[in-house]
């Protein structure tokens, strides 16, 4: 089942099920989060909860997308109660990267920290059921205020040195009233980072991730397929500037999803009932690695057939939110 959240022309929210070219309203549903919490309380799956409520009015999906009325497929009414995070060095990447790792495997002391964590993931990122494997790289991205709805541009602050896409799969979660995380499903996402800043020094990774992101437009329920192949491309002035395949799913990863989820939700502060979590699982495909530098007006398009409509976002510069030496005093 593929779910979307959208707005009516009067601004009212609805939840819908994607049915080919149509979106069918879920009766009496205003948010996927509320649907999920009700399903948890009833002991149902999210799909069962939708089926119990039933479907109603249909809307033209293409029209909703064109009018920018499609919302992120999971959010929270209070953005402060929504955590966006991710893991890196989780995908096997290119054969050359793996060859490089194997060539250095005999002398860990000569490895970079990046290669060392990657090697640990290859060796211990897929533990036996019920066991914890090696922990991945983890990063904080922001709260719900950084999420850009499908179709809208990413705001780029004046201090940014790059505006680069990161095509990824994201897990979408709600914390139940029992304090347990529940995965609703997955969405294709653009994690969007500052790769120039990160390249200067790996310790700048945390700074480089404090940017906007987008995911959706659809939430796909159920398990993630073992192998996923999608397309990431950048359009400039209506022409394709860059395009490449990106792979995901556990068959292309050095960590199991269960291991990545464990190492996020093992922290008690991430188990607050009612909160929403969006967790990006990493990528191995970046236009930046091919020497591409994006600019305002460019469009990112990330598509993956199993996830329905592509995720499209642009780039727009914004004014500084804060200037040097302008902090107030009391």
């Amino acid at each position: 089942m593929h779910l979307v959240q959208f707005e009516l022309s009067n601004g009212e929210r609805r939840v819908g099920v994607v049915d080919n070219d149509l979106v069918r309203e879920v009766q009496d549903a205003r948010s996927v989060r509320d649907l999920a919490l009700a399903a948890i309380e009833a002991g149902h799956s999210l799909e069962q909860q939708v089926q119990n409520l039933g479907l109603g009015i249909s809307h033209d999906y293409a029209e909703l997308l064109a009018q920018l009325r499609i919302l992120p497929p999971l959010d929270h009414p209070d953005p402060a109660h929504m955590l966006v995070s991710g893991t890196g060095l989780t995908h096997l990447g290119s054969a050359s990267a793996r060859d490089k790792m194997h060539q250095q495997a005999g002398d860990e002391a000569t490895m970079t920290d990046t290669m060392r964590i990657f090697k640990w993931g290859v060796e211990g990122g897929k533990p036996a059921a019920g066991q914890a494997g090696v922990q991945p790289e983890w990063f904080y991205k922001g709260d719900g205020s950084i999420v850009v709805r499908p179709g809208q541009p990413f705001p780029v602050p004046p201090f940014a040195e790059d505006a680069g896409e990161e095509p990824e799969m994201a897990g979408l979660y709600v914390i139940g009233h029992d304090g347990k995380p529940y995965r609703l499903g997955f969405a294709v996402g653009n994690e969007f980072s500052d790769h120039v800043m990160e390249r200067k020094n790996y310790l700048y990774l945390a700074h480089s991730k404090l940017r906007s992101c987008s995911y959706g437009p659809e939430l796909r329920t159920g398990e993630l397929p073992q192998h996923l192949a999608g397309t990431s491309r950048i359009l400039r002035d209506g022409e394709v500037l860059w395009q490449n395949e990106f792979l995901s799913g556990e068959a292309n990863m050095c960590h199991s999803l269960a291991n990545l989820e464990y190492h996020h939700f093992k922290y008690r502060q991430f188990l607050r009932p009612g909160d929403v979590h969006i967790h990006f699982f990493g990528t191995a495909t970046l236009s930046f690695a091919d020497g591409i530098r994006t600019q305002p007006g460019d469009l990112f398009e990330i598509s993956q057939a199993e996830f329905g409509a592509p995720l499209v976002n642009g780039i727009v510069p914004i004014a500084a939110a804060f200037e040097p030496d302008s902090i107030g005093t009391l």
Side-chain angles (χ1 to χ4, degrees):
M1 182 178 287
H2 289 221
L3 298 175
V4 295
Q5 295 189 125
F6 65 99
E7 294 174 334
L8 301 176
S9 56
N10 63 4
E12 291 184 8
R13 291 173 57 115
R14 295 290 188 273
V15 175
V17 173
V18 177
D19 183 8
N20 295 313
D21 296 331
L22 299 175
V23 171
R24 299 188 63 190
E25 286 188 23
V26 179
Q27 301 276 27
D28 301 319
R30 298 297 180 268
S31 79
V32 169
R33 173 179 173 272
D34 288 345
L35 270 179
L37 290 172
I40 293 167
E41 290 298 305
H44 296 156
S45 69
L46 186 57
E47 291 186 11
Q48 288 175 320
Q49 188 69 18
V50 169
Q51 291 166 356
N52 290 344
L53 291 174
L55 302 180
I57 300 172
S58 294
H59 301 264
D60 184 273
Y61 191 17
E63 185 176 298
L64 291 175
L65 286 166
Q67 295 178 356
L68 301 182
R69 290 199 274 135
I70 295 289
L71 302 166
L74 177 64
D75 56 7
H76 194 291
D78 180 356
H81 284 274
M82 179 172 165
L83 177 69
V84 185
S85 57
T87 51
L89 302 175
T90 54
H91 284 64
L92 295 173
S94 67
S96 61
R98 291 199 296 275
D99 287 342
K100 182 179 179 182
M101 186 275 297
H102 290 308
Q103 289 164 13
Q104 298 185 60
D107 186 5
E108 187 165 311
T110 66
M111 290 184 183
T112 63
D113 285 338
T114 295
M115 293 306 298
R116 187 174 292 114
I117 291 178
F118 178 59
K119 176 177 179 287
W120 292 345
V122 171
E123 294 174 345
K126 294 184 176 180
Q131 296 184 12
V134 67
Q135 55 186 8
E137 173 195 67
W138 181 96
F139 60 84
Y140 169 75
K141 192 152 183 70
D143 63 15
S145 65
I146 69 162
V147 176
V148 174
R149 72 171 64 183
Q152 289 194 332
F154 293 118
V156 179
F159 57 79
E161 299 180 66
D162 179 42
E165 88 297 336
E166 293 207 13
E168 305 188 19
M169 295 300 133
L172 281 58
Y173 306 85
V174 167
I175 309 301
H177 296 302
D178 55 1
K180 178 181 176 180
Y182 291 83
R183 186 202 312 131
L184 281 59
F186 300 90
V188 70
N190 189 338
E191 194 253 298
F192 194 64
S193 299
D194 188 331
H195 303 107
V196 172
M197 182 175 292
E198 179 186 350
R199 187 175 62 179
K200 286 182 174 180
N201 189 302
Y202 192 68
L203 295 179
Y204 281 161
L205 174 74
H207 284 282
S208 75
K209 295 298 185 183
L210 296 175
R211 301 291 186 272
S212 297
C213 69
S214 189
Y215 51 92
E218 303 173 26
L219 183 162
R220 183 186 190 276
T221 61
E223 297 298 317
L224 191 69
Q226 287 288 305
H227 173 76
L228 290 165
T231 301
S232 177
R233 65 176 184 166
I234 301 173
L235 292 89
R236 179 173 294 171
D237 299 324
E239 302 289 335
V240 176
L241 173 69
W242 174 89
Q243 178 172 304
N244 206 345
E245 180 184 58
F246 75 96
L247 303 177
S248 195
E250 286 191 358
N252 301 295
M253 299 172 68
C254 55
H255 285 265
S256 64
L257 294 177
N259 192 51
L260 298 179
E261 290 172 331
Y262 166 72
H263 284 295
H264 176 68
F265 289 111
K266 68 184 181 184
Y267 297 106
R268 189 175 297 273
Q269 63 264 39
F270 295 162
L271 299 176
R272 185 166 49 195
D275 278 9
V276 165
H277 289 251
I278 309 299
H279 195 67
F280 286 95
F281 291 120
T283 188
T285 305
L286 304 172
S287 65
F288 181 76
D290 292 335
I292 299 297
R293 294 297 300 271
T294 61
Q295 62 188 38
D298 288 351
L299 285 178
F300 301 113
E301 182 183 276
I302 298 174
S303 58
Q304 216 293 320
E306 284 86 348
F307 286 81
L311 175 64
V312 179
N313 300 97
I315 306 173
V316 62
I318 59 170
F322 184 76
E323 298 290 350
D325 302 320
S326 60
I327 193 166
T329 57
L330 294 176

